Amino acid sequence: MIIVDKVQTELLNKYIPNADKLLQSGNVNDLLDAIDDVIQYDGMDKNYELTHFGLELQMLYDQICNQNN
């Protein structure tokens, strides 16, 4: 079981297309990979610096990683 709170679940559902399926799978690494993919493709500017959106997702990634260790 992946530990996430209500706010995190809402963000995941908003930004990760198959978030529900990933959450139900119980594999936190698959979920973190999906978040990282969105950060890599949509969360950086042309200089590969994190945008506000990228920072928000990076914080979500870090929180989920810490909660599930």
Side-chain angles (χ1 to χ4, degrees):
M1 183 169 144
I2 300 173
I3 300 168
V4 292
D5 65 27
K6 183 178 178 179
V7 173
Q8 292 166 335
T9 302
E10 289 172 3
L11 287 172
L12 288 168
N13 286 325
K14 183 175 180 180
Y15 298 127
I16 309 298
N18 57 343
D20 285 334
K21 183 178 177 183
L22 291 168
L23 287 168
Q24 291 175 3
S25 78
N27 188 333
V28 71
N29 290 324
D30 288 344
L31 178 62
L32 294 172
D33 286 344
I35 297 169
D36 188 57
D37 287 345
V38 176
I39 292 170
Q40 296 296 318
Y41 294 110
D42 297 323
M44 295 187 178
D45 63 18
K46 65 180 180 179
N47 296 318
Y48 300 103
E49 297 288 331
L50 289 173
T51 62
H52 178 72
F53 173 68
L55 288 169
E56 181 179 24
L57 285 177
Q58 184 63 55
M59 187 171 70
L60 178 64
Y61 179 101
D62 293 343
Q63 289 171 348
I64 292 172
C65 188
N66 289 331
Q67 289 166 198
N68 289 276
N69 278 331

